[in-house]
Amino acid sequence: MRIVFDASSHEDGQPSLNDCIWSGGNLNPNIFHLIISFRLNTIAITADIERAFLQISLRDEDRDAVRFFLFPDIRSNQTDPYKFQVYRFKRVMFGVNVSLFLLSATIKHHIENYREQYPAATEMLDTCLYVDDVISGADDISQALKVSKDAETIMKNASMKLRKWNSNDQTLMRTWEKEGLETHPRHPDDSSKIPSSKVLGIPWDVVHDYFTIDVKGLLQLDTSKPITKRIVLQSAGKIYDPVGFLSPYTIRLKCLLQELWLRKLSWDDELPPDIHAVWSQWWLELPFLSELKIPRKILESSGDSSEVQIHTFSDASQKHMEQPPS
């Protein structure tokens, strides 16, 4: 169980804690760039830091900013059952806007002490760490093993444990276990029983090394009820696609939303017949997304590089509603 405090809550007319605290700069890498880099390596590597935020202490003079009340159980036999106590957080807490900055800044400050001793591992932790998730890779097992062990040493010296090491290479997984690294649940022989893995929220089949699309939330939508602009917007928000794998598909929903705004429909008005037909066609194609298998590795090690093709997609066209992508 993880307790998350809502530091954005406030009384009417009063600022919240997050309004009063400087959030700091964003020190995390760009998700798009990180995933593209993750797709370039032959051997994929992921891990995370166990209880990362709780490993960072707050200075005593800063702890007054994160005080909270503890109310006793009024049913207990106390002289004053309504007397509450004030506590202060000693560690970085969940729910405060500055917590992400404090974690990233602390790690970046710590790894600088190992830049010369472990250059490759330091570079990985500096550029391939998103909050508490390591998303990286290597060209061969020996390189992967060295960089992971060095990273483990670096973070251990900061009292931070790297765990759930995972890779598409089962030989590396077994080697990690022999070296004492805590790995993600071992790949069983029956691939249908493999625990699900995600890379920054994208489902990843580690055995066959491909990404999939999670549309379970959308498929649970009750289509027996009238389809409204509100439902269309909710549907668009349930599609997580940071890289743009589904852009040729999702652009049609965005165009549909644009048309609804132009027609000035309210949030709970049922879609007009022509718009509903576009929605229905989009909805019927949705189950096929769950069958998509997107290779993690962009380029294969073998093959003629002259055969490489680059495909791009832009949503600048105004004809998607008339000519939806097939």
Side-chain angles (χ1 to χ4, degrees), residues 178-194:
K178 292 178 182 178
E179 295 290 336
L181 275 68
E182 181 182 331
T183 60
H184 195 273
R186 182 96 173 246
H187 302 169
D189 295 332
D190 184 356
S191 61
S192 65
K193 298 180 180 179
I194 297 173

Side-chain angles (χ1 to χ4, degrees), residues 100 105 201:
L100 292 176

